Amino acid sequence: QVLLVESGGSTVQPGGSLTLSCKVSERIKYINAVGWYRQAPGKQREGVARSSSGGSITYKPSVEGRFTISRDNAENIVYLHMNHVQPEDTAVYYCNVEALWNADDDSAPSVPNDFWGQGTQVTVSS
């Protein structure tokens, strides 16, 4: 079943703005952190932004000051607000949830599991 649903990816000009959304299933319990990753062609997946349930927020240095991760707890949605985008930001962006939860039996493991969205394409080009 689909646990994370992403939207918002599109083509945008350099210097423009874009907001990605991730709807997180309320089935997922004991969430440690939510975040955004990206993968460009020919490169490995890299972390972009992470927000822990304890209140800590971290960013990849190259996006800090331009991107902002936020959460709407009432609607269970995670956002990535992207400002002043550059061609180097072009990638498939993935929503991630780290949780002490097993999807198959609703149990709580001792080691967290990672859950991923399907990915949404962001292309920065003039």
Side-chain angles (χ1 to χ4, degrees), residues 12 14-16 34 46 48 54 61 66 91 93 99 109:
V12 61
V34 298
E46 62 182 5
V48 176
R66 298 189 297 119
Y93 283 70

Side-chain angles (χ1 to χ4, degrees), residues 1-53:
Q1 65 170 297
V2 177
L3 297 172
L4 306 174
V5 180
E6 301 165 329
S7 61
S10 67
T11 299
V12 61
Q13 294 192 124
S17 298
L18 199 65
T19 297
L20 308 181
S21 301
C22 174
K23 174 67 175 178
V24 180
S25 172
E26 294 182 354
R27 287 191 60 211
I28 303 178
K29 301 178 176 65
Y30 318 122
I31 295 175
N32 291 337
V34 298
W36 290 91
Y37 289 68
R38 68 187 183 189
Q39 187 168 26
K43 301 185 68 176
Q44 296 193 93
R45 184 180 297 184
E46 62 182 5
V48 176
R50 185 178 189 271
S51 177
S52 76
S53 295

